[in-house]
Amino acid sequence: MKVAAAQFAPAYLDRAATLDRVLAVLGDAGAQGVELLVFPETFVPGYPSWTDHTDASAFDDDDQKSTFARYLDQSVGLARGDLDTVVTVAAQLGVFVYLGIAERSASGGSVYASLVAIDPVAGIVGVHRKLKPTFGERLVWADGAGAGLVAHDCPPVDGPVRVSGLNCWENWMPLARAAMWAQGPQVHAATWPGSTATSRDASRFAALEGRVFVVSAGAILRSEDLPADLPVRDQMLEHGDAWASGGSMIVAPDGRIVAHADDGTEQLLVADIDLAEVRAARHNFDPAGHYSRPDVFDFHVDRRRSNTATFRD
């Protein structure tokens, strides 16, 4: 199977322009015969890096409110069809896509960090909202739920392959991983803002624990990627001129790094993987099979989609 991690910079806080970049990368991946393509966390329209590099917790601050309003305005509305063209192109090219988006809530006033699974035949088959935003992310993202903890059958040429995906530090959450391993994935997508220091250990551990290949995708974000009129731009520049360096990698079930993108470089990281390695690695450890103890551990996952209100007319 041929897999790829997309290590690129978004057109920061510009949904339409970033989706154009998604389509360009998708076209390149399709031309190279990629069957599974993974984009970084909230790639569309970008990761809210200002929460770590500005006075993001200042209450009723005009610059913070304006920046959040812009982020909200440029977030992805799934119901209105913002990803329709991506779905169409993925189908034309036969590529299964994991795309990180900032998803606008039904109320129109909140944002979820969502990982969208796009099947080349069935279209959007999953939307996983990050269970718990990490640290400063909680200033801009709402809590997700278990509805998206679903593994999918990716239909490559040689037969279906089971794939799963988690956002960023969800890959450190033992029970989130356990929910995925229980569904028998062979390839796992891990999405990140963009840092080898953040993603390397977690990606290798997930591969070793799940006995899966991990396709780990991180973004690039530099000073030249920031809009000139971003209200918090000057504050961010006080903390350097780059906030995401990539860290994309592809890891084998034995923890071996098969491919690693150069830090700070935009590139499509492509690798051919042999799924027989997954079966071989599970000879001595299968976390959801012969090395599990369901008679001792009782694990329940609520995958119902939670709603603010239920209306009966």
Side-chain angles (χ1 to χ4, degrees):
M1 184 182 188
K2 184 164 288 192
V3 300
Q7 180 170 291
F8 293 91
Y12 202 58
L13 303 195
D14 186 329
R15 180 183 59 251
T18 302
L19 285 172
D20 285 342
R21 295 187 183 184
V22 168
L23 294 174
V25 174
L26 183 51
D28 185 15
Q32 295 189 50
V34 169
E35 296 164 284
L36 174 66
L37 173 62
V38 181
F39 285 89
E41 184 179 39
T42 61
F43 186 71
V44 186
Y47 179 81
S49 292
W50 70 88
T51 62
D52 292 325
H53 302 289
T54 71
D55 297 329
S57 63
F59 184 77
D60 207 28
D61 179 86
D62 287 341
D63 287 342
Q64 293 296 332
K65 290 194 294 185
S66 296
T67 302
F68 176 78
R70 184 167 181 168
Y71 194 56
L72 185 64
D73 180 62
Q74 294 301 313
S75 61
V76 175
L78 292 174
R80 71 186 177 197
D82 286 351
L83 298 186
D84 285 356
T85 303
V86 177
V87 171
T88 298
V89 173
Q92 292 170 345
L93 298 174
V95 182
F96 192 106
V97 179
Y98 271 109
L99 177 61
I101 65 167
E103 179 195 358
R104 186 181 302 187
S105 69
S107 70
S110 295
V111 178
Y112 299 105
S114 295
L115 184 56
V116 180
I118 302 172
D119 183 283
V121 177
I124 295 176
V125 292
V127 180
H128 172 53
R129 295 171 175 172
K130 190 173 186 178
L131 296 169
K132 173 56 66 176
T134 304
F135 201 58
E137 296 168 358
R138 298 172 197 174
L139 295 168
V140 292
W141 292 342
D143 283 353
L149 292 173
V150 179
H152 307 282
D153 287 326
C154 171
V157 174
D158 295 331
V161 175
R162 198 81 163 149
V163 296
S164 61
L166 291 172
N167 298 286
C168 196
W169 274 21
E170 288 182 321
N171 291 286
W172 279 129
M173 295 176 69
L175 297 185
R177 295 195 311 273
M180 289 309 190
W181 306 155
Q183 299 171 71
Q186 297 153 285
V187 184
H188 178 71
T191 67
W192 309 87
S195 165
T196 294
T198 301
S199 61
R200 181 186 177 94
D201 290 345
S203 297
R204 292 191 65 243
F205 184 79
L208 284 162
E209 180 188 64
R211 293 302 201 258
V212 294
F213 280 96
V214 172
V215 182
S216 188
I220 301 289
L221 186 64
R222 306 149 298 197
S223 57
E224 59 262 37
D225 301 313
L226 299 183
D229 60 347
L230 184 67
V232 294
R233 177 186 171 91
D234 289 344
Q235 285 189 57
M236 290 185 68
L237 291 174
E238 291 175 7
H239 294 264
D241 59 3
W243 304 274
S245 58
S248 300
M249 64 190 73
I250 297 166
V251 187
D254 61 359
R256 184 180 79 258
I257 296 177
V258 176
H260 193 306
D262 295 331
D263 284 351
T265 302
E266 292 189 283
Q267 65 183 104
L268 182 64
L269 184 68
V270 181
D272 289 301
I273 62 174
D274 182 359
L275 296 172
E277 289 190 43
V278 174
R279 298 188 294 276
R282 290 181 182 172
H283 173 245
N284 57 23
F285 185 79
D286 179 2
H290 63 76
Y291 222 91
S292 66
R293 287 295 304 273
D295 57 322
V296 177
F297 302 110
D298 190 11
F299 181 38
H300 296 268
V301 180
D302 188 346
R303 295 201 302 198
R304 293 172 294 180
R305 177 70 79 193
S306 56
N307 297 300
T308 304
T310 300
F311 296 95
R312 296 182 179 90
D313 295 321

